[in-house]
Amino acid sequence: VNADQDEDLQKKALKKAEEGRKLFENLGRLKSCEGMWHLFVHALMLGDVAARDRSDASIKKAVAVYEEAVAIGKELELMGEEYYVKGIHAYGIMYFLLDRYDDAADYFAEAKSGYEALGMTDTMFFMMCSCHAGLVYAKAEKKKDVKLAAECLKDCIAACDIADNDDIKGVASAALESLEDVAP
């Protein structure tokens, strides 16, 4: 798929997401677990656009949809649901891709805790989230915490050992080794 086809597919997907939102609204189901998940997926697509073009308008659009999904999740007390946790994780990834590590930190922390509470510590999601959290805490300015970064990366490595995932383990191990003042 070339870049023009990819951009065309993305535009079509975003249009379908907007149509889906209208459908959820018309059915009175936007404020539901399914509606929240739809918004998170829509926000994920908008976040991809924002990470690519880095314009204020794209970032604001993605953040608005993420915030709406988060608000629904909190209003309906869905924070312990897998869909909410994965959505929060995706929100953190958007900020990570934008190199806004301080903004990403709390979302990764919430998602990591959520995966742990759901017993999902042997999943790719937990491994990725723990790795992202470690990288964020190592790179953040205001929320920099080298010890917490090391803890997250060690959690990632342990999960990767259980799941036999050498790819993510390699990234986490390299990041752990590069941390200052922390023995791997």
Side-chain angles (χ1 to χ4, degrees):
V1 178
N2 67 39
D4 290 336
Q5 288 173 321
D6 188 43
E7 191 173 319
D8 188 48
L9 288 173
Q10 189 172 47
K11 285 180 183 177
K12 287 179 183 177
L14 285 168
K15 185 176 181 195
K16 290 287 184 190
E18 290 167 8
E19 291 170 1
R21 177 201 173 92
K22 288 177 186 169
L23 180 63
F24 273 105
E25 286 174 339
N26 290 339
L27 295 171
R29 298 283 303 147
L30 190 62
K31 287 190 176 184
S32 67
C33 187
E34 297 82 8
M36 174 196 68
W37 179 241
H38 176 80
L39 290 173
F40 273 131
V41 171
H42 185 189
L44 178 112
M45 291 186 286
L46 291 169
D48 285 344
V49 172
R52 189 177 63 248
D53 75 20
R54 295 180 176 263
S55 73
D56 287 342
S58 292
I59 294 168
K60 285 179 184 177
K61 194 171 185 179
V63 167
V65 178
Y66 270 121
E67 287 299 321
E68 186 177 11
V70 169
I72 290 170
K74 289 183 177 180
E75 179 183 335
L76 300 178
E77 299 180 0
L78 298 171
M79 293 85 65
E81 295 291 327
E82 182 177 345
Y83 292 122
Y84 179 86
V85 173
K86 287 179 177 177
I88 287 294
H89 184 185
Y91 199 176
I93 290 171
M94 180 193 75
Y95 281 126
F96 181 85
L97 294 173
L98 291 167
D99 302 319
R100 291 174 53 176
Y101 305 120
D102 286 299
D103 292 325
D106 292 338
Y107 296 109
F108 286 135
E110 184 177 355
K112 185 176 180 293
S113 294
Y115 290 132
E116 290 168 340
L118 289 166
M120 295 178 65
T121 56
D122 61 344
T123 66
M124 180 77 72
F125 296 103
F126 178 79
M127 291 174 231
M128 290 173 28
C129 186
S130 297
C131 187
H132 279 126
L135 294 170
V136 161
Y137 285 118
K139 295 179 178 186
E141 291 179 26
K142 295 175 187 167
K143 296 181 180 178
K144 185 175 189 120
D145 186 331
V146 176
K147 290 186 192 288
L148 186 53
E151 181 183 310
C152 291
L153 292 167
K154 288 175 184 176
D155 287 348
C156 174
I157 291 166
C160 288
D161 282 339
I162 292 167
D164 203 26
N165 187 317
D166 292 333
D167 293 332
I168 295 175
K169 181 181 177 179
V171 172
S173 296
L176 184 59
E177 289 171 15
S178 72
L179 289 178
E180 298 173 359
D181 304 324
V182 178

